[in-house]
């Protein structure tokens, strides 16, 4: 079994041959195929095999990927938190600072590729920036219209916002979903303003939680994640695309840890969606959070969440956190 060879292009080293690894399947949403966690024979980059093509993605996401039922008012309410006192401290404690828009500065132009509901664009606007987004999901269109957001519905390949260059281009948890991440980096590098920065966030395959959970790590997220980067291989790929690293760090959202622990106590079955990942309406989530009539439960829950936050802030500081943030600049800038 271990000698099984798979033909697939490596975006890091351009090698063509992967070695088959553990079998793994969609333990969240019940896509009923078994995939392989393969490693490049040349550079050890990890990738999902068989690789999906761009044309497979609409059917995959349309069938399995749940979308939260959200409206414009909820998005605006969420984005307004950025102006609350101690917002940055709260994000640090909760591990939700792992998003590129928080580093935008007043007067800059920002593009968020895969901007989802558009919350990041509103946050960037609140920080004084001009914000643009690209999103594949047409369900976001009414929200964009209601909030007056500049979102192109389509992909990067459409070359939206012609002539516009950006001081900050953000990709929050998107690059790992793309079959050809190196091609996307080359396209994005073309859209950077002089001295512009590219801010990418992705799962970190060298995190402590990945080491502890092995094939049960929630961030394999197969088959939606096509590539699984470590710092060395990601930076090598970026360099081949004419980008150099300016800064990197790791952050673990506390909610990921809660989901990781719950996931390790569950027994995923092929083709069956997991209740852990079911999207419940916001009203149900609110009532679940406020089910604290029992004071003992409230205290126990508070102690556990504080412990998780402390552990995560320490592992982040050691560079072992679950998401990897990398800031890049064009090689042409000295
Ligand atoms: Zn390789």
């Amino acid at each position: 079994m271990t000698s099984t060879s798979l033909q697939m292009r490596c975006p890091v080293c351009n090698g063509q041959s992967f070695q088959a690894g553990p079998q793994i399947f969609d333990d969240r949403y019940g896509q009923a195929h078994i995939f392989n966690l393969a490693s490049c024979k040349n550079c050890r980059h990890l990738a999902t095999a068989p690789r999906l093509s761009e044309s497979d993605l609409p059917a995959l996401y349309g069938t399995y990927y749940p979308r939260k039922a959200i409206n414009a008012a909820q998005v605006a309410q969420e984005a307004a938190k950025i102006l609350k006192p101690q917002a940055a401290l709260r994000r640090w404690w909760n591990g939700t600072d792992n998003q590129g828009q928080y580093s935008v500065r007043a007067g800059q132009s920002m593009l968020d590729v895969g901007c989802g509901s558009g919350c990041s664009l509103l946050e960037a606007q609140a920080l004084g920036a001009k914000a643009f987004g690209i999103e594949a999901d047409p369900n976001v269109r009414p929200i964009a219209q209601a909030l007056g957001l500049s979102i192109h519905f389509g992909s990067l390949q459409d070359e939206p916002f012609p002539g516009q260059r950006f001081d900050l281009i953000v990709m929050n948890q998107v690059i790992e979903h793309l079959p050809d991440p190196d091609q996307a980096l080359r396209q994005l590098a073309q859209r950077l303003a002089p001295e512009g920065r590219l801010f990418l966030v992705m799962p970190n395959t060298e995190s402590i939680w990945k080491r502890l959970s092995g094939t049960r790590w929630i961030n394999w997220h197969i088959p939606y994640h096509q590539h699984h980067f470590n710092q060395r291989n990601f930076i090598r790929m970026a360099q081949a695309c004419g980008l150099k690293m300016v800064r990197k760090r790791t952050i673990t959202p506390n909610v990921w840890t809660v989901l990781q622990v719950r996931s390790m106590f569950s027994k995923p079955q092929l083709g069956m969606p997991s209740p852990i990942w079911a999207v419940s309406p916001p009203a149900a989530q609110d009532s679940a959070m406020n089910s604290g009539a029992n004071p003992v439960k409230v205290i126990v829950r508070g102690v556990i969440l504080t412990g998780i936050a402390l552990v995560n802030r320490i592992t982040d500081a050691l560079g072992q956190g679950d998401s990897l943030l990398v800031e890049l600049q064009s090689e042409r800038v000295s």
Side-chain angles (χ1 to χ4, degrees), residues 9-18 39-45 233 236:
R9 188 185 74 90
C10 174
V12 174
C13 73
N14 258 316
Q16 297 291 333
S17 188
F18 278 69
S39 62
C40 172
K41 286 187 179 173
N42 182 34
C43 74
R44 316 311 297 168
H45 170 64
N233 278 344
R236 182 176 169 184

Side-chain angles (χ1 to χ4, degrees), residues 16-149:
Q16 297 291 333
S17 188
F18 278 69
Q19 178 151 333
Q23 293 194 327
I24 193 161
F25 61 85
D26 180 9
D27 56 0
R28 294 194 195 184
Y29 308 131
Q31 201 266 2
H33 258 269
I34 293 178
F35 289 82
N36 198 282
L37 194 52
S39 62
C40 172
K41 286 187 179 173
N42 182 34
C43 74
R44 316 311 297 168
H45 170 64
L46 294 171
T48 304
R51 182 164 305 156
L52 303 176
S53 68
E54 289 281 347
S55 60
D56 295 327
L57 302 185
L60 175 71
Y61 285 88
T63 309
Y64 296 101
Y65 223 72
R67 291 279 171 183
K68 279 184 187 157
I70 41 168
N71 61 43
Q74 287 163 337
V75 174
Q77 196 182 3
E78 186 62 31
K81 288 180 185 168
I82 197 166
L83 297 174
K84 283 191 175 171
Q86 268 89 50
L89 184 67
R90 281 168 206 265
R91 291 199 304 270
W92 173 77
W93 182 248
N94 293 325
T96 51
D97 228 359
N98 65 336
Q99 296 180 39
Q101 69 273 17
Y102 299 127
S103 69
V104 79
R105 290 194 293 274
Q108 290 190 325
S109 58
M110 181 191 94
L111 172 68
D112 184 349
V113 182
C115 65
S117 67
C119 186
S120 65
L121 307 188
L122 280 184
E123 289 175 322
Q125 286 174 357
L127 295 172
K130 263 179 88 176
F132 303 84
I134 300 177
E135 177 52 47
D137 182 0
N139 294 316
V140 178
R141 203 183 284 272
I143 296 176
Q145 277 166 355
L147 298 172
L149 299 172

Side-chain angles (χ1 to χ4, degrees), residues 110-115 131-136 150-166 169 171 184 187-188 190-192:
M110 181 191 94
L111 172 68
D112 184 349
V113 182
C115 65
F132 303 84
I134 300 177
E135 177 52 47
S150 300
I151 299 180
H152 168 76
F153 289 93
S155 82
L156 195 56
Q157 277 79 20
D158 309 333
E159 301 189 16
F161 313 115
Q164 174 83 40
R165 300 240 172 176
F166 303 95
I169 299 179
M171 267 183 136
Q187 279 176 315
L188 292 175
Q190 304 285 322
R191 303 301 301 267
L192 283 177

